[in-house]
Each structure stands twice: as C-alpha cells, then as structure tokens.
Amino acid sequence: MTDRFTATYRIETPASVREAADAMAGEQSASTFVDVPGESEELQRRHGADVVDVTELGTTAEPTLPGVDPGSEEASEYTRAEVRIAYPIENVGVSVPQLRTTVAGNVFEMQPLSGIRLLDVDVPDVYGAECPTPQFGVEGTRELIGVHDRPIVGTIIKPSVGLSPDETASLVETLVEAGVDFIKDDELIADPPYSRFEDRVEAVMSVIDDHAEETGKRVMYAFNVTGSVEEMRRRHDVVAEAGGTCVMVSLNSVGLAGVLALRRHSDLAIHGHRNGWGALSRCPQLGFEYTAYQKLWRLAGVDHLHVNGIRNKFTESDESVVASARAVQRPIPGDDGILPVFSSGQWADQAHDTYAALGNVDLMYLAGGGIMGHPDGPAGGVDALKQGWEAAMAGVPLAEYAEDHEALRRSMEAFGTDE
Amino acid sequence: MTDRFTATYRIETPASVREAADAMAGEQSASTFVDVPGESEELQRRHGADVVDVTELGTTAEPTLPGVDPGSEEASEYTRAEVRIAYPIENVGVSVPQLRTTVAGNVFEMQPLSGIRLLDVDVPDVYGAECPTPQFGVEGTRELIGVHDRPIVGTIIKPSVGLSPDETASLVETLVEAGVDFIKDDELIADPPYSRFEDRVEAVMSVIDDHAEETGKRVMYAFNVTGSVEEMRRRHDVVAEAGGTCVMVSLNSVGLAGVLALRRHSDLAIHGHRNGWGALSRCPQLGFEYTAYQKLWRLAGVDHLHVNGIRNKFTESDESVVASARAVQRPIPGDDGILPVFSSGQWADQAHDTYAALGNVDLMYLAGGGIMGHPDGPAGGVDALKQGWEAAMAGVPLAEYAEDHEALRRSMEAFGTDE
C-alpha cells in the first residue's frame, strides 16, 4: 500500500500559505512534540504528509474566523489559497471513519488558519475495492422503479409530523394514483409513538402493493429508518419483508459507522438525507464543500444523495447546488456516479436549468407543494412535472410546450414563471 | 409522553425575530405545503413546536452568513436573538439520532436566518431512563484507575503516526514509569497496516500489566477503536480480553449510531474524542455550542469528553473552553456529570486557572510536550503537573509552591510562566 490519498482545502491565513499548509500536513500525519532521537527522518519519509499543490487566491483585510495565532492578530491581511495535501494510505489503511479523522479532524482548529474548508478528497482504487460502496446506484434504482430515460419523479409526505399510519397510507394512495415514481418519509419521522414504523410500513406497502397489482408499477417508498444500528437493521428487515425497495437515513444523525452498518446489512436502496448539512457548509470559509463530503457517504454505500434544488427555498445558491449534483454524478472509486436528489421548491420551472446544468436525466426530482398545490390536484402536479422535463429534454421552451400540455400550463398559471 | 424537549438557538435575521422563530418551529414540526383540510388545527395542537422564549441581543449591519431570503437582502440591519423552542416528545419518541434531526437538521439552512447556532438542548427524564448513558462516568473511571481527590493526569502517544506496536509499548513503558494515570492513542491511529490494533494492544497491555504487578497501579490506556461498528466491537473485545479498561472513539467520524452501538456492547470506559469539532463551531453564528453538542454524546453513553484546554494551541478561547468543561460536568438526565478532558498545550501553568474555573478536580488533564519536554524527562514532567495541581488545590501561587518543589520549578524554567 504505497498509494496516497489527497485532500484539497481552501484556507485563509495571516501567515505564509506554504508554512500554514506544511503545518496542516504535519499536524495530520507524523507530528510530534519533541524530536524523537534517530526515528524522526525515517518516520517522516514513510508517514509524513506532503503539500503537493498551493494556489493563492488573493487576500482579505479581516479574518473570517476568530482564534488565529495571537501573534498574528494584528496582521494587516489574510491570504486565501487552495492547498492540496497528500497522505500515505499506509497511515490509515482502508477506513472511511479514519479517513474522515485524517482529512477533517483537528485540522479545523489549527491556529494559523482563519479559514479552512475541505473542498475535495481523492482516494485510490483500493477504497473502491474494499469499502461497501453503493449497491444500486443509478441503474439499480431505475430497475427497481421501472423508470428509464427520464428523471425519477417523486414527492415527500407532508405534514412533516403528526399523520397516523392510516392517514399516511391514504396520502400515499392519492400520490401513487397521481403517478409519482418515488415517495419519501419526512426526515422528522422515523418511529414516533403516533406512527410506529411497523404500522406505517404495513399500511403504506398495502397501498403500494395494490397499485403494483393494478398497474404493474411498483412505486419506491423511502422509509426513514434513522436510529440506532439495531433499530435501522430491524426496520430494514421490516421493509424488505413487506416488499419495499428503499430505506432512508439521515446521514449526519447516524454518522458513518451507522451508514456502514446499515449498508453491510442491506438488500435495499439507501436514500441519503443530509439534514444538518447547513451547519457544516454555510460559512463559506469553514467546513465542507459537498464535493468532498458526499464521497464519504458513497464509499459507505449510499445510493441517493440530496443536493437541494435550483431556486430552492433554503439558503444554498444555484451554483452550489449544481456543483453538488455534478459531484454526485461523477465516478469515484467504487461507483460510476449515483443519483442526486433535487428537492425544495421544485416544480416544472427548474427542469430546463437542471437539465442544462447536468446534461442528463440521472436524477431524482422531488416536489412537494409543486405536486400537492397544483390547481387540478396531485395528478395534475405530477403530469406537469413530467411535461416540464419532456420540454427540457426536447429543447422546447416551457411556455411553448405548455401551449398543448394542459397540466403544465395550469401549473405555470398557479406557480408563476417569472424566472 | 406529553413531555417536551427544548432547543435554544442564537439566530440572526433580517426579518422579525418572532416570525423567524415561528418559522423554525414550524419547519421542524408539523409544517405542511398546503392546508390539509380538517386535520390542521388538531395536528398543530398536538404536534406543533412552540417558541417559548425570545431575547433580542442587538443588531448587526451585515449578515454573517450568505443566502438569506432574497427579498430581505437589502435589509439595513440583522437582529440577533436567543430563542427557545419546545417540541413535543411525542414527535420523536426516545431517539438520540432523531433528536438531532429535529433540533439540528434542516433548520440550519432556513432562508430567514443569516445566523443560527444551537446553544443548548434540554431533554426530559425519559431520555435519561431509556438512552444508554455513561457506564462509568467520574467515579467509575476513578475506581478503574485508582486515583481520587485530584485530576487524572495523562498523556498522548506521539509521534502521531508511524510508531510500531513495540515502539509504542516502549514509549508506554517510559510513561507509566514516569507516573501517568492515563495514556491515549493519537486519534490518527486506529488499525493502520504499520500498527495493527491487536498487536498494539498486546504490546501495550504487557507493559501495563507488568507495571500493575510491580506497583499495584493499573494505568488506563484509551485504545482508539474508531471504525465500523463490527470493527469497534471486535476491538473492544480485544482490549477487554487483554485486561484493558478504556476505548477511545472519534465521535464525529463514527457518529451517534456508531457510539450507541459501541456503548450497548461495551464493558469499558468510553473516551470521546471530538476531532472535527472545529467545523461545527468555529463560526460564532453557525453550528453548535458545545453545551448542546456534548449532551447528545452523553445520552449515547460516552464517559470522557474532550474540551481543549485553557491557553490551548488551537483556536478556541479560554471562555469557551471553560463553558464546555462546566457543561460536561453539569448533570443531565442519565448522568451526574462526566469527565472533561483538558489537553493541548497543557502543563502546570494552567492548573490554577482550570481549578478556579471549575471549583473541583473531576477532570482529566493531558499533557504531551508538557511531559515529554520536561528538562528532567517524563518523570519530571508528570511530577511537575501533579505539583502544579497540588498548588492550585492548596491555593498557593505556582511560583511559591515551586520554591520547594523541584520538578515544578524546573518546568517553569523550561516552559516559561509569563501568564
């Protein structure tokens, strides 16, 4: 194992960029308190991380983050730079949790840094070979649903909280009849007292089974299994035994070991929800770029990953959403790209821009209000979404396509089209 | 289960604070896309979260974080406020991962918020009764080590990376002979090819066993088990079978489900390392205050939690370190306070300030360079640390105590005492 893995950061420092990057490489590899007689040089050679690339990005007058080296607090400028550090695989072996510790551990608190964001991580092929990696990915998910050559169109159960299993099933009935391909639990619901997991699965799968018998189409429902490992595995089994095809997990709530344990046990597609991601990403000079973060979850075996949506109702910019979705589709060791999940404020309106940004339809496109709020009801909402994507894929402007597509036309009247 | 749990946030918003807080409470409970006929009022009454407290903290001219509601981007001021939201336990049941989803999920990306930091979480007693909670805590750890009435004095194996099991054991021999109570693996090492976990445990425990036979004192070694659940449990068993008393885990690298799975299996003290914490905390208007974060890990069953140290070599302020340590010592449902772990740049120098801040000695005090770099070697370093704490506990100034305590005097000469 002489391979290396690399981590790319954007840093900000009052010191010399090179010195700061060298300090990072040292801290996260073979650093020591004092010289260890004799061993030092050999140890550095075998285990030391190296700074392999430095690109300065300009300066800023004020530090983004507090706490930089007191000796430098009076600095008149702070340099931003992109730095890439290569670590010997030998330091870690193949371990996604230890990879995270190495590239995204104490380094975030280092005193020379008034900004530090992990932009990307590149792992050698041995990670793809030995990590669980996605079991279904794009093609496997398409097979399970039976939808090819267009986005997988889906929705979310709302209200977020409070529906009984029967009320949920009744809503699912409306939605499957409306023609959705995919439905997911809200992330706020897993196994609360008012909607026990087993009861919800039984009620929902009964509706999905009936619909599959009538129409031949088995809608994918992502049941939220988020919990302890024992709970997740037991709930996975409940879904599998009921004929379900997908489980959802809140990645940041269970962590990498939780997802690894679920994946090692799983026969179903794993839908990765990233709630809590904002805490890791909203300060532009701190935390993670999704390009880096999503790789860890793919190595752990997630098949679908949320990326927000263009013109979403949250705080993320379209540029960031597009970069995230492209990253999720890009091959890494272990998979050839998985499904980005677009959601939040989505309707037909964003189909053209989304298609233009990706150049393909290997994605999940989830709408809530865009389906439930359609003037002709959910069936109109689903039709409008599909028509929006037909227009995008045909290269026909939305307004033109709407001329002879009623559902689309009605949704444009209802939701406006000032974009 | 009619109890509620509460979450306290510091927010920043261009909108009215009350409206923003109400939006947060809605988003994280019974929010919906459109009115659900009939159900709405009853559902809101049973499941809606409520804003129970709002304290305005003043205004700022610029938004801290990007992405606030485009309609408000021209706002001339952004109000900061502390808001407390109460959620029905019924929404979640007893689940630490789902608790996290609820209090620290999508709320971080809400458009009215140009700042959002989770300051605290309060759970009802049922969480203490049903969650794993710490198995050893303060008294259990003290019993295992045989140290009472003073801080547990410890150190870290360095170099961080590269020592073979035999080299590690040889360093451990030096350290136990020097008189430490506790030693931990570096977080960068778990089971790398150059120091296989089983081999390291065997080599280290042989030294610790010999020392225990000779002196009656069993030094606690925190072996880093960070990895998948299967790996962590297997490694735990290796440590337990070898007579070890503690395992260490990188909390952010394995996540809550990982720690829960380890705890449910564990017979040993769990030492919680928080590397990666900087990404969640360094922007003052984003992420988490440790007061909130550490509670999740205690409910999951961690016995020791890192808090950095006064005048540490990282970016955290002393004020923050002290607040974290106090929070870790404060009772919550399920435990009466656990051990804060002070480390990073620590030597006798910080004993007085640490003792003054906490008013007790229920803590772990780890020094690396402060022990290894002592002019008379590690034994001098350990003696100096203990003498520093004797002085603090006796209320005698360090310099005065050093007059007739050689090791302390020598460390002050070596490390300076300009504080």
Side-chain angles (χ1 to χ4, degrees):
Chain A
M1 266 203 246
T2 55
D3 271 348
R4 297 192 154 217
F5 59 95
T6 66
T8 308
Y9 304 88
R10 184 169 62 244
I11 64 170
E12 179 186 291
T13 179
S16 116
V17 166
R18 185 76 208 194
E19 276 171 30
D22 283 341
M24 292 165 69
E27 175 77 19
Q28 295 306 100
S29 65
S31 82
T32 184
F33 303 116
V34 287
D35 283 342
V36 179
E39 301 294 339
S40 285
E41 251 177 68
E42 166 65 9
L43 198 133
Q44 272 300 325
R45 200 187 54 73
R46 280 195 62 182
H47 296 286
D50 292 322
V51 178
V52 292
D53 210 12
V54 170
T55 310
E56 297 210 1
L57 302 171
T59 62
T60 176
E62 299 291 332
T64 301
L65 304 173
V68 283
D69 185 352
S72 308
E73 262 178 350
E74 309 298 314
S76 61
E77 62 176 28
Y78 296 79
T79 309
R80 290 186 185 158
E82 207 171 290
V83 303
R84 198 152 62 94
I85 297 175
Y87 303 83
I89 277 281
E90 167 89 3
N91 287 10
V92 174
V94 177
S95 166
V96 190
Q98 279 300 98
L99 177 67
R100 178 167 172 163
T101 295
T102 304
V103 301
N106 278 348
V107 70
F108 283 114
E109 296 185 61
M110 286 184 66
Q111 246 178 18
L113 304 176
S114 58
I116 169 166
R117 188 171 177 94
L118 180 64
L119 303 181
D120 206 353
V121 179
D122 281 299
V123 295
D125 290 341
V126 62
Y127 265 71
E130 296 187 18
C131 292
T133 74
Q135 186 172 190
F136 292 90
V138 179
E139 288 315 314
T141 300
R142 285 196 177 286
E143 285 297 325
L144 287 173
I145 302 178
V147 167
H148 302 271
D149 306 322
R150 66 165 173 80
I152 293 162
V153 171
T155 190
I156 303 133
I157 295 289
K158 293 258 176 178
S160 313
V161 164
L163 295 184
S164 70
D166 285 343
E167 288 165 340
T168 303
S170 160
L171 191 51
V172 169
E173 191 169 2
T174 302
L175 293 164
V176 298
E177 284 171 3
V180 296
D181 307 317
F182 174 91
I183 307 172
K184 63 176 276 293
D185 275 337
D186 193 275
E187 80 275 9
L188 294 173
I189 295 178
D191 185 27
Y194 66 88
S195 178
R196 282 298 173 199
F197 190 82
E198 283 78 357
D199 300 336
R200 190 164 77 252
V201 171
E202 188 185 336
V204 167
M205 285 311 300
S206 163
V207 170
I208 285 175
D209 281 345
D210 288 351
H211 184 73
E213 257 178 55
E214 282 166 32
T215 65
K217 172 165 180 169
R218 177 159 289 267
V219 172
M220 179 177 273
Y221 191 104
F223 291 99
N224 182 13
V225 298
T226 302
S228 70
V229 170
E230 287 70 19
E231 288 166 344
M232 289 194 287
R233 288 179 164 177
R234 191 173 66 234
R235 290 173 195 160
H236 164 278
D237 294 348
V238 168
V239 175
E241 280 158 26
T245 54
C246 186
V247 291
M248 174 173 119
V249 61
S250 289
L251 305 171
N252 296 310
S253 298
V254 306
L256 282 166
V259 172
L260 285 163
L262 174 62
R263 169 65 182 87
R264 288 291 189 198
H265 177 82
S266 180
D267 297 320
L268 308 175
I270 299 177
H271 187 82
H273 198 288
R274 66 175 194 178
N275 64 77
W277 166 241
L280 293 165
S281 62
R282 276 194 70 190
C283 176
Q285 308 305 333
L286 178 64
F288 295 81
E289 203 68 21
Y290 202 54
T291 304
Y293 201 58
Q294 52 95 30
K295 287 186 183 174
L296 301 178
W297 303 106
R298 285 162 68 181
L299 291 169
V302 169
D303 296 290
H304 319 147
L305 273 170
H306 278 247
V307 297
N308 235 324
I310 289 177
R311 294 188 285 285
N312 63 78
K313 63 172 182 151
F314 290 117
T315 50
E316 190 173 0
S317 71
D318 293 346
E319 185 191 1
S320 170
V321 170
V322 167
S324 296
R326 285 178 178 159
V328 167
Q329 288 190 338
R330 208 174 296 134
I332 63 170
D335 77 66
D336 294 329
I338 63 165
L339 286 166
V341 182
F342 289 79
S343 69
S344 181
Q346 304 297 289
W347 60 287
D349 170 60
Q350 295 100 331
H352 278 76
D353 290 341
T354 305
Y355 186 57
L358 296 184
N360 65 65
V361 292
D362 287 335
L363 58 100
M364 295 184 136
Y365 197 75
L366 311 191
I371 287 177
M372 293 304 286
H374 191 280
D376 302 326
V382 173
D383 284 347
L385 276 188
K386 291 180 181 171
Q387 290 165 8
W389 274 93
E390 287 165 16
M393 292 163 70
V396 178
L398 208 60
E400 186 182 325
Y401 203 75
E403 285 169 15
D404 48 7
H405 289 85
E406 175 73 4
L408 179 58
R409 189 177 60 74
R410 296 271 287 161
S411 81
M412 292 172 74
E413 285 168 11
F415 303 138
T417 178
D418 49 18
E419 305 291 346
Chain B
M1 267 203 246
T2 54
D3 270 348
R4 298 193 153 214
F5 58 95
T6 67
T8 307
Y9 304 89
R10 184 170 60 242
I11 64 170
E12 179 187 291
T13 180
S16 114
V17 166
R18 185 74 208 195
E19 278 170 28
D22 283 340
M24 293 165 68
E27 174 76 18
Q28 296 305 98
S29 65
S31 82
T32 185
F33 302 116
V34 288
D35 283 342
V36 179
E39 302 294 339
S40 286
E41 250 177 70
E42 166 64 8
L43 199 133
Q44 273 300 327
R45 199 185 55 73
R46 278 195 62 183
H47 296 286
D50 292 322
V51 179
V52 291
D53 210 11
V54 170
T55 310
E56 298 209 2
L57 303 170
T59 63
T60 177
E62 299 292 332
T64 301
L65 304 173
V68 284
D69 184 353
S72 310
E73 263 178 347
E74 310 298 313
S76 61
E77 62 176 29
Y78 296 78
T79 309
R80 290 187 184 156
E82 206 172 291
V83 303
R84 198 154 61 95
I85 296 175
Y87 303 82
I89 277 280
E90 167 89 4
N91 287 11
V92 174
V94 177
S95 166
V96 190
Q98 278 300 98
L99 176 68
R100 178 167 170 161
T101 295
T102 304
V103 301
N106 279 347
V107 70
F108 283 114
E109 295 186 61
M110 287 185 66
Q111 244 177 20
L113 304 175
S114 58
I116 167 167
R117 188 170 176 95
L118 180 65
L119 303 182
D120 206 353
V121 179
D122 281 298
V123 294
D125 290 340
V126 63
Y127 265 71
E130 296 187 18
C131 292
T133 74
Q135 187 172 189
F136 292 90
V138 180
E139 288 315 313
T141 299
R142 286 195 177 286
E143 284 297 324
L144 288 172
I145 302 178
V147 167
H148 303 270
D149 306 324
R150 65 164 173 81
I152 293 162
V153 170
T155 190
I156 303 133
I157 295 290
K158 294 257 174 179
S160 313
V161 164
L163 295 185
S164 70
D166 284 344
E167 288 165 341
T168 304
S170 160
L171 192 50
V172 169
E173 192 169 2
T174 303
L175 293 165
V176 299
E177 285 171 4
V180 296
D181 307 315
F182 174 90
I183 307 172
K184 65 177 274 294
D185 274 337
D186 193 276
E187 80 276 9
L188 294 173
I189 295 178
D191 185 27
Y194 67 87
S195 179
R196 284 295 173 202
F197 189 83
E198 283 78 356
D199 300 338
R200 190 163 77 252
V201 171
E202 188 185 336
V204 167
M205 286 311 300
S206 163
V207 170
I208 286 176
D209 281 345
D210 288 350
H211 185 74
E213 256 177 55
E214 283 166 33
T215 65
K217 171 165 181 169
R218 175 159 290 267
V219 171
M220 178 177 275
Y221 191 104
F223 291 99
N224 182 13
V225 298
T226 301
S228 70
V229 170
E230 287 70 18
E231 288 166 344
M232 289 193 289
R233 288 179 165 177
R234 191 173 65 236
R235 291 173 194 159
H236 163 278
D237 294 348
V238 168
V239 175
E241 278 156 28
T245 53
C246 185
V247 292
M248 174 173 118
V249 62
S250 289
L251 306 171
N252 297 309
S253 298
V254 306
L256 282 166
V259 172
L260 285 163
L262 175 62
R263 169 65 183 87
R264 289 292 190 198
H265 177 82
S266 181
D267 296 320
L268 308 175
I270 298 177
H271 187 82
H273 198 288
R274 66 175 193 178
N275 64 79
W277 166 242
L280 292 166
S281 62
R282 274 194 72 191
C283 176
Q285 307 306 332
L286 178 65
F288 295 81
E289 204 67 22
Y290 202 55
T291 305
Y293 202 58
Q294 52 95 29
K295 286 186 183 173
L296 301 178
W297 303 106
R298 284 162 68 181
L299 291 169
V302 169
D303 296 292
H304 319 146
L305 274 169
H306 278 246
V307 297
N308 236 325
I310 289 177
R311 293 187 285 285
N312 63 79
K313 62 172 181 151
F314 290 117
T315 51
E316 189 173 1
S317 71
D318 293 347
E319 184 189 2
S320 170
V321 170
V322 168
S324 296
R326 285 177 179 159
V328 168
Q329 288 191 337
R330 209 176 294 135
I332 63 169
D335 77 65
D336 294 328
I338 64 166
L339 285 166
V341 183
F342 288 79
S343 70
S344 180
Q346 302 299 289
W347 61 287
D349 170 60
Q350 296 99 331
H352 278 77
D353 290 341
T354 305
Y355 187 58
L358 297 183
N360 65 65
V361 292
D362 287 335
L363 58 101
M364 292 183 137
Y365 197 75
L366 311 192
I371 288 177
M372 294 302 287
H374 192 279
D376 301 326
V382 174
D383 285 347
L385 277 187
K386 291 179 182 171
Q387 290 165 6
W389 274 95
E390 286 165 17
M393 292 163 70
V396 178
L398 208 60
E400 185 182 327
Y401 204 75
E403 285 169 16
D404 49 6
H405 289 87
E406 175 73 4
L408 178 59
R409 189 178 59 74
R410 294 271 289 160
S411 80
M412 291 174 74
E413 284 167 12
F415 305 137
T417 177
D418 49 21
E419 306 290 347

